[in-house]
Amino acid sequence: MAVRVMVLPSPKCLFDDPVQIRVAGLLPQQEVTLRASLLDESGELFQAQARYRAGSNGELDLSRSPSLGGSYSGVEPTGLLWSLQSKAPYKRLAKRNVLTPYCVDLEVYEGHGDMSCLLGKCTNERWFLGEGVKRIPVREGRLKATLFVPAGPGPFPGLIDLYGSGGGLVEYRASLLASRGFMTLALAYMAFEDLPAVPEVLEMSYFEEAMNFLLNQHQVKDTGIGILGLSKGADLALSMATFLPGIKAVVSISGSGFNSFIPLKGDGFTIPTHPYNLGRAKTSDDSGLVDFSDVLDDHRDPATWDCRIPVERSSAKFLFLSGRDDRNWKSDLYCQDVVQRLQQCGREVEFCSYPGAGHLLEPPYLPLCQASIHKVLGMFVHWGGQWREHARAQEDAWRRIQAFFWQHLMDSDIPKSKL
């Protein structure tokens, strides 16, 4: 019997779909090595491998069979995905073109040695755009964005998706959310096309324009929209919920309750940047990585409070997510601070703090990026995180994000979705 490598329920799936990886046709108790390989759009090779021993029936089921070592150990059904790592250091796996899949080659080799004898292989196509989802570039007014429209007639809950100070127009999270039933606007606000890399000021009117654009889509449910923000995008999400009346629900990932790095100008007000001193950044002699966790002045100092976002004024619902091993900044402490402020005003707030998780909490099965180059700063930044703990956090956070938005934007549970 030939050795077969299987991805179930289908070798073609959405990137955030969990899969079952099985191997059949091995000898009883046969020792093998499984390897996953993925070539990203820049040609960078990401790989993971793990050593296994087949059962008495000559089969492996990664949801039951323990890895004996390699990129991970123990029972890890999707370990070959979340432990993918590039040969070159400090590379981040981030999809640029969401119209094409990541293809993960899964191979099984004889023994635990040199991996010279290939026994079987298959390919798992992991897509970022579900069947029937539309991708629409938006260059309307000042907006630099991409709109993702789910399949079907709607109405759909509407989301705006904001990434951090690295800038650009990041689409892969928005496309996955649209594949799960959210009409999602991925919005650029710096370092993209004619948007400056480091703006002198960010204008609330730009984000209001994005909100109105989304609310004007006839398939969007008209009860208000949600904002999902990471890092700098998270404090912008809080500001939008504070100053714009159409925001009903906000998820903050690795964010803060103050305005960071770029002044925010609104109608009759400006929130200055929280004071910081880049001289307090620490550069590792061994790795050259920069740790920014101490550059900000103490957020508990009343001298910094004019930089606080007065989020207590907002009537939106809030979910805060942070990793306790965030090495970029002290997001866990900053989230605790804003949660306490809201609770002191009698507000119900959801907050989840993940042990061992780093700064870049992404959709599940994207591997941990502990460090990478910050495109705007031009420095290699330490993001933090431990592999297994971070992977667990991403799976849990993704479920929480979707459930939170369905509850508060549609008053319903998460619907089923398929590729």
Side-chain angles (χ1 to χ4, degrees):
M1 178 178 173
V3 174
R4 291 180 296 129
V5 185
M6 296 164 284
V7 177
L8 303 173
S10 170
K12 180 180 179 181
C13 64
L14 286 170
F15 193 90
D16 59 344
D17 276 331
V19 291
Q20 185 180 24
I21 300 172
R22 299 179 63 181
V23 182
L26 299 170
L27 299 173
Q29 309 299 324
Q30 184 174 2
E31 292 186 341
V32 293
T33 300
L34 269 64
R35 184 171 73 185
S37 302
L38 181 158
L39 201 64
D40 78 358
E41 290 140 310
S42 68
E44 192 68 43
L45 178 64
F46 289 75
Q47 289 187 316
Q49 63 182 53
R51 299 185 291 274
Y52 285 91
R53 183 177 292 112
S56 57
N57 59 357
E59 295 184 357
L60 283 174
D61 179 348
L62 269 59
S63 65
R64 299 178 181 178
S65 307
S67 164
L68 306 177
S71 300
Y72 59 91
S73 59
V75 177
E76 295 291 345
T78 55
L80 286 172
L81 300 176
W82 59 250
S83 67
L84 286 164
Q85 196 168 3
S86 64
K87 295 278 181 72
Y90 314 143
K91 295 292 184 179
R92 180 178 177 183
L93 186 63
K95 196 75 173 72
R96 298 175 186 176
N97 180 7
V98 298
L99 300 178
T100 61
Y102 272 146
C103 294
V104 183
D105 291 325
L106 298 167
E107 302 167 313
V108 57
Y109 289 88
E110 165 68 34
H112 291 167
D114 60 4
M115 298 173 63
S116 59
C117 181
L118 177 66
L119 301 177
K121 65 180 291 185
C122 76
T123 299
N124 179 202
E125 285 187 16
R126 305 190 66 83
W127 288 82
F128 289 81
L129 211 61
E131 183 179 343
V133 176
K134 298 175 184 174
R135 176 187 177 274
I136 304 170
V138 176
R139 300 295 185 273
E140 185 172 307
R142 293 178 293 170
L143 294 182
K144 313 291 184 187
T146 303
L147 181 66
F148 292 94
V149 182
F156 306 111
L159 297 179
I160 294 176
D161 188 18
L162 300 168
Y163 264 78
S165 61
L169 180 55
V170 182
E171 296 186 357
Y172 56 85
R173 187 169 65 184
S175 65
L176 286 172
L177 287 165
S179 303
R180 301 303 180 187
F182 298 94
M183 185 180 288
T184 309
L185 184 71
L187 181 65
Y189 58 91
M190 59 186 288
F192 181 72
E193 294 183 355
D194 61 350
L195 297 173
V198 184
E200 293 183 6
V201 66
L202 290 171
E203 296 185 4
M204 182 54 66
S205 60
Y206 177 78
F207 300 95
E208 184 175 19
E209 198 174 322
M211 180 191 73
N212 289 333
F213 171 85
L214 189 56
L215 285 171
N216 287 334
Q217 304 302 308
H218 72 277
Q219 288 176 289
V220 166
K221 190 170 173 65
D222 59 4
T223 53
I225 64 172
I227 313 290
L228 173 60
L230 168 72
S231 194
K232 173 60 188 173
D235 73 63
L236 286 170
L238 297 191
S239 294
M240 291 177 71
T242 300
F243 300 110
L244 303 179
I247 309 303
K248 192 174 180 183
V250 170
V251 175
S252 162
I253 304 174
S254 303
S256 73
F258 48 77
N259 185 53
S260 62
F261 304 115
I262 304 168
L264 180 67
K265 183 180 180 181
D267 185 10
F269 70 90
T270 298
I271 304 180
T273 60
H274 189 96
Y276 63 94
N277 180 357
L278 290 178
R280 291 196 291 261
K282 299 186 290 287
T283 303
S284 169
D285 292 333
D286 296 330
S287 65
L289 296 179
V290 182
D291 183 339
F292 287 100
S293 58
D294 289 325
V295 303
L296 291 165
D297 288 9
D298 189 343
H299 65 288
R300 297 165 297 186
D301 184 350
T304 69
W305 289 359
D306 61 339
C307 310
R308 281 181 168 181
I309 300 161
V311 70
E312 298 90 342
R313 301 180 191 173
S314 174
S315 61
K317 302 294 185 180
F318 294 96
L319 168 61
F320 294 88
L321 304 169
S322 62
R324 296 184 201 170
D325 194 39
D326 187 339
R327 303 294 181 87
N328 179 60
W329 67 355
K330 299 171 183 176
S331 61
D332 198 54
L333 285 176
Y334 303 152
C335 285
Q336 288 179 41
D337 177 72
V338 69
V339 166
Q340 289 170 3
R341 284 165 47 199
L342 285 164
Q343 289 174 337
Q344 286 168 1
C345 296
R347 303 287 299 282
E348 289 186 11
V349 185
E350 296 182 44
F351 175 38
C352 193
S353 170
Y354 295 104
H359 185 73
L360 297 176
L361 284 168
E362 293 271 48
Y365 317 121
L366 281 169
L368 168 67
C369 177
Q370 290 178 316
S372 67
I373 193 162
H374 190 289
K375 293 180 181 178
V376 170
L377 295 174
M379 302 177 182
F380 284 98
V381 175
H382 195 178
W383 305 115
Q386 306 301 316
W387 284 88
R388 189 188 311 265
E389 292 85 349
H390 192 88
R392 298 274 196 277
Q394 291 190 156
E395 288 187 77
D396 183 78
W398 195 239
R399 287 191 292 266
R400 287 179 187 269
I401 290 166
Q402 294 178 71
F404 176 83
F405 282 133
W406 279 111
Q407 177 186 350
H408 295 298
L409 300 179
M410 295 293 278
D411 298 317
S412 66
D413 296 326
I414 300 176
K416 300 261 183 174
S417 178
K418 65 181 181 179
L419 180 62

